[in-house]
Amino acid sequence: MNHRWNYQPITHEQEEKSRELAQELGISPILGQLLVQRGIETVAEAKKFFRPQLPELHDPFLMEDMDIAVERLNKAMGKKERILIYGDYDVDGTTSVALVYKFLQQYYSNIDYYIPDRYNEGYGVSYQGIDYAYETDVKLIIVLDCGIKAVEEITYAKEKGIDFIICDHHVPDDELPPAVAILNPKRADNTYPYIHLSGCGVGFKYMQAFAINNGIEFHHLIPLLDLVAVSVASDIVPIMGENRILTYHGLKQLNSNPSVGLKAIIDICGLTEKDITVSDIVFKIGPRINASGRIQNGKEAVDLLTEKDFSQALEKANQINQYNETRKDLDKNMTEEANNIVDALEGLADRRSIVIYNENWHKGVIGIVASRLTEVYYRPAVVLTRTDDMATGSARSVSGFDVYKAIEHCRDLLENFGGHTYAAGLSMKVENVPVFTERFEKYVTEHILPEQTSAVIDINAIIDFRDITSKFHSDLKRFNPFGPDNPKPIFCTKHVYDYGTSKVVGRDQEHIKLELVDNKSNNVMNGIAFGQSSHVRYIKTKRSFDICYTIEENSHKRGEVQLQIEDIKPTEE
C-alpha cells in the first residue's frame, strides 16, 4: 500500500511548552513534544498521565439512573429473586457478564448468566432469552453491552413480570426501552463526565456503585480490572481519561495476578513470560475470546472467564484456541473471496465505500472481513451474508469517518442496526441490498474527507538514531497503555543506510530484517519491516532512504530496542 506521510510540526508556542515540560520532568524534549500533542501541558497533568490513580475514577453515582439500578439490585437480593446476567457474544459482552457475575456471586447465590446464540438468536436481547428467563423464574435481568435499542423485547419481558437494568455504551435511539434503569454515558440526558466507557466499563461502574452503597471496600473490585482492560483494548474505545486509569491498572492485574480463566488464555497464547500490552490483547487474547461466539457459543467464553479451577480452565482455553484456528481458516478463505469480488466491482476507483453480499458466508467472521477490506482499500466497508430471509452484516470504518451515522442515514431500509463510530452491525431484507448499497455510497461520498480516503501515516516527530537512548526508551514506555486517542508514537528518521547486513526473512520471504545507520551517529539500529520485501532491492543499492517507525522492545533480547518499520521511501534529493 502506498502511504502518505503526514507530519505537522508543532507551533513555536507548543515548542516552548514542551521544552519547559521536558525540563521539569527530566525527559527528552521529543517526549515533551509528545505530551503537548496529547493536550498535556502542565507537570500536574503529566504526572496524572504517567501514573493514573484509581482514586481519580469518577463517582459512579454521577451516571443517570445509577441510584435506581443499585436500589433495584438490593431489592432483588433482599427478596431472594432470581437474577440473570445477560450479555453480547463478543469480547466486550462476555467480559462484562463475567465481571458482574463474578462480583455478585461472592454475595449472592440465586444468579445465572446467559449469552444469546449468534446464529439462532442474533445480536442483543432476544425473545428466546426472555422466555428462558421466564421459565427459570428470573425476576431481574441485568443486560450488558447491548439492550439500548431493545424496546419491543423489553416491553415483552415487562409483560411477563421481568425487570431490566441496561448497562450499554452504544448510541441510543430517541425512544429508550422501558427498563427500570438505563446506565449509558451516551444517553442524550447524560450527566456522567466520561462518555467513552466500554460495555464492561459500564458494568464495572455499576458494581463500584453497588459496592459503595453496601459498604464493600474498593479493593474487592481490583481483581476484576483485568477483564475491563481486555474489553477496552478489544472494543477499540479511546484509552484516555477514565479508560486510561482502568486499562493501566487492568494491565497491572493481568501481568501480576490474572484471573484463572485469563491466566489459561495467557498460557495458550505463549505470553506467560512476557509483559502483556494492549497489542497482546488486541492480537492474541481478544481474538480467542471472540472465537467462541463466532464459531460456537459465547457462553463458553464466560464459562472460561468465570472458571475457578486452573486445569478445567486450561481445558476450556484449549477448546477456544481450536475455535480460533477454525476462525483463522474461515477468515483467510472469505477474505480472498471478498477481495476478488471487490477487485471485480465496476468503477471501483471512483467509489468511496464498499458494500458486498454473499449468502454463503459464515456470519461469525464477516466483521473481521470488513476490517480487512477497510485496511486494504481504505474505505468504509459493509460485508453482508444471509440469515434466513435477511441480509445481516457488519460495517467497519476508516480513521475519522463515522460509519454509524452513514448506516443511520439508511435506517428506513433496515430491520435492525446498532454500533458506534468505527464498527456497526445491521440487518435488512435481501431485496434492499442494492438500494442500501447506492444510498450508503451516496452518503459516504458526500461526507468523507479526501484525507480519509487514503492510507496516511501521522508522524509525531522527526528524530535521529542518537536520540534513541535507553533512558529515552524507558521514558517512552511510560506513555503506555497505547490505543485510540493515545496512539503509539510514530517517528521518522531521514537519510538512513543499510549497514550491509539487512536481509529478507519469513516463510514467503515477505519481511525485511534490517540493520541501519543514519548520517548523524554511529548507532546501528535493528529493525523489522513486515510485508515490505519489495523495498529490499533499493535498500541494497547503498543509497539513502527515509523510514517511519515505532520503537519496540526486542522480544528476543530483553531491554534491547527494535524499530518496527511502518514505511520506507527513497530520500528526496
Side-chain angles (χ1 to χ4, degrees):
M1 186 188 281
N2 198 12
H3 293 92
R4 186 165 61 80
W5 294 13
N6 175 41
Y7 173 60
Q8 302 286 338
I10 58 169
T11 64
H12 179 67
E13 192 188 338
Q14 285 178 316
E15 202 174 329
E16 290 287 300
K17 268 186 190 151
S18 62
R19 205 178 293 125
E20 281 169 30
L21 203 52
Q23 209 166 354
E24 287 182 67
L25 293 165
I27 59 174
S28 157
I30 297 159
L31 300 179
Q33 184 176 319
L34 294 184
L35 287 171
V36 170
Q37 284 169 341
R38 281 156 174 72
I40 296 156
E41 298 188 342
T42 67
V43 171
E45 285 169 348
K47 283 182 175 166
K48 267 189 176 183
F49 177 76
F50 285 141
R51 283 197 297 277
Q53 301 295 316
L54 288 167
E56 287 164 11
L57 291 172
H58 300 303
D59 175 357
F61 287 100
L62 293 172
M63 199 178 288
E64 192 70 32
D65 279 3
M66 186 62 85
D67 50 346
I68 303 166
V70 171
E71 194 184 314
R72 180 65 187 91
L73 179 54
N74 285 336
K75 182 184 160 193
M77 288 177 159
K79 291 173 75 178
K80 307 235 177 327
E81 291 176 350
R82 186 148 182 78
I83 301 170
L84 186 68
I85 314 297
Y86 187 115
D88 186 23
Y89 38 63
D90 70 357
V91 182
D92 195 10
T94 51
T95 51
S96 304
V97 169
L99 183 145
V100 173
Y101 179 79
K102 279 173 76 169
F103 189 66
L104 292 181
Q105 201 193 25
Q106 298 171 79
Y107 310 100
Y108 191 69
S109 59
N110 195 10
I111 186 168
D112 192 9
Y113 56 82
Y114 187 94
I115 303 288
D117 185 280
R118 187 189 285 260
Y119 304 100
N120 301 330
E121 296 167 78
Y123 170 79
V125 178
S126 71
Y127 290 105
Q128 200 174 316
I130 293 166
D131 289 341
Y132 167 81
Y134 182 69
E135 285 154 19
T136 54
D137 200 30
V138 167
K139 293 288 180 256
L140 174 65
I141 295 178
I142 298 170
V143 61
L144 296 133
D145 191 36
C146 56
I148 197 64
K149 292 192 171 190
V151 177
E152 288 166 19
E153 292 84 352
I154 291 175
T155 303
Y156 173 74
K158 207 174 170 188
E159 286 161 6
K160 288 186 168 291
I162 300 168
D163 282 344
F164 259 86
I165 290 166
I166 297 171
C167 303
D168 203 351
H169 70 133
H170 294 99
V171 180
D173 274 342
D174 294 339
E175 186 187 356
L176 295 175
V180 172
I182 297 174
L183 308 177
N184 186 333
K186 292 196 180 88
R187 279 175 64 158
D189 58 352
N190 171 55
T191 49
Y192 194 68
Y194 187 75
I195 67 164
H196 299 297
L197 292 167
S198 64
C200 188
V202 178
F204 180 83
K205 298 306 295 187
Y206 185 22
M207 292 303 95
Q208 188 190 357
F210 172 80
I212 292 167
N213 184 265
N214 286 281
I216 300 164
E217 289 184 11
F218 184 83
H219 68 83
H220 292 289
L221 290 156
I222 291 174
L224 303 168
L225 288 171
D226 54 3
L227 290 164
V228 183
V230 169
S231 86
V232 168
S234 302
D235 220 52
I236 317 182
V237 289
I239 304 190
M240 283 297 257
E242 192 163 38
N243 278 344
R244 181 170 173 84
I245 303 170
L246 292 166
T247 310
Y248 179 89
H249 289 278
L251 283 168
K252 260 183 154 171
Q253 188 67 26
L254 202 56
N255 280 296
S256 61
N257 189 19
S259 61
V260 171
L262 283 171
K263 171 84 178 82
I265 300 174
I266 289 164
D267 275 22
I268 61 160
C269 290
L271 293 170
T272 312
E273 296 300 312
K274 195 179 176 299
D275 189 21
I276 296 164
T277 63
V278 164
S279 291
D280 295 316
I281 297 172
V282 172
F283 295 109
K284 294 186 176 174
I285 296 170
R288 283 170 170 84
I289 297 172
N290 240 338
S292 178
R294 290 188 190 283
I295 305 301
Q296 202 61 38
N297 189 302
K299 185 175 183 296
E300 290 187 38
V302 184
D303 294 344
L304 167 60
L305 294 171
T306 54
E307 181 56 66
K308 291 172 182 163
D309 178 88
F310 187 66
S311 60
Q312 288 283 310
L314 217 47
E315 216 171 282
K316 287 171 181 168
N318 276 307
Q319 179 58 69
I320 275 175
N321 201 40
Q322 283 307 114
Y323 296 150
N324 195 46
E325 292 304 313
T326 306
R327 189 270 308 165
K328 280 186 196 166
D329 292 340
L330 284 167
D331 166 12
K332 187 171 180 284
N333 297 334
M334 280 169 56
T335 300
E336 275 175 29
E337 286 176 21
N339 282 326
N340 292 336
I341 293 171
V342 175
D343 289 339
L345 285 176
E346 251 179 69
L348 175 64
D350 301 321
R351 295 186 73 82
R352 290 287 167 263
S353 70
I354 290 168
V355 181
I356 56 174
Y357 168 69
N358 181 326
E359 63 177 31
N360 300 315
W361 279 341
H362 193 286
K363 190 181 173 186
V365 189
I366 47 181
I368 301 172
V369 176
S371 293
R372 302 257 189 269
L373 294 178
T374 59
E375 284 164 22
V376 173
Y377 301 97
Y378 225 76
R379 290 151 223 221
V382 179
V383 178
L384 299 159
T385 186
R386 189 178 181 125
T387 307
D388 302 324
D389 57 346
M390 288 285 168
T392 59
S394 287
R396 296 292 183 269
S397 195
V398 293
S399 182
F401 183 77
D402 191 336
V403 78
Y404 178 84
K405 278 190 181 159
I407 289 168
E408 189 179 38
H409 177 71
C410 310
R411 67 184 305 156
D412 57 305
L413 300 169
L414 306 175
E415 299 299 307
N416 221 326
F417 73 100
H420 32 84
T421 308
Y422 293 122
L426 65 164
S427 66
M428 68 191 89
K429 288 176 179 151
V430 172
E431 59 265 31
N432 285 352
V433 173
V435 193
F436 171 82
T437 306
E438 276 177 41
R439 185 103 62 84
F440 184 77
E441 167 66 19
K442 188 171 187 293
Y443 181 93
V444 176
T445 303
E446 287 169 2
H447 292 85
I448 202 161
L449 301 171
E451 59 268 28
Q452 291 169 342
T453 59
S454 62
V456 177
I457 295 175
D458 288 315
I459 293 163
N460 294 87
I462 294 172
I463 65 172
D464 301 322
F465 286 166
R466 65 184 172 195
D467 296 316
I468 308 170
T469 63
S470 57
K471 179 173 175 8
F472 180 89
H473 182 228
S474 74
D475 287 342
L476 179 62
K477 285 202 281 191
R478 294 167 68 196
F479 281 75
N480 270 301
F482 295 117
D485 284 10
N486 181 38
K488 199 173 272 191
I490 293 179
F491 301 102
C492 170
T493 299
K494 299 192 167 197
H495 295 284
V496 304
Y497 299 86
D498 173 28
Y499 188 58
T501 43
S502 297
K503 60 183 181 193
V504 173
V505 294
R507 199 189 313 169
D508 301 316
Q509 303 282 283
E510 69 273 45
H511 316 308
I512 318 174
K513 193 172 184 318
L514 295 145
E515 289 194 330
L516 303 170
V517 288
D518 68 358
N519 58 5
K520 299 276 176 71
S521 66
N522 297 321
N523 291 8
V524 179
M525 297 299 301
N526 289 312
I528 183 82
F530 292 113
Q532 296 183 57
S533 57
S534 59
H535 292 298
V536 80
R537 195 176 293 166
Y538 182 87
I539 288 168
K540 288 294 180 190
T541 62
K542 296 285 186 196
R543 283 181 287 177
S544 78
F545 50 97
D546 303 343
I547 55 170
C548 56
Y549 53 89
T550 59
I551 297 172
E552 312 291 340
E553 189 148 312
N554 190 327
S555 51
H556 305 296
K557 294 176 185 169
R558 210 175 186 134
E560 201 173 284
V561 165
Q562 176 172 275
L563 311 182
Q564 187 162 312
I565 314 289
E566 298 292 317
D567 202 13
I568 297 169
K569 286 189 175 174
T571 300
E572 287 178 16
E573 294 308 324

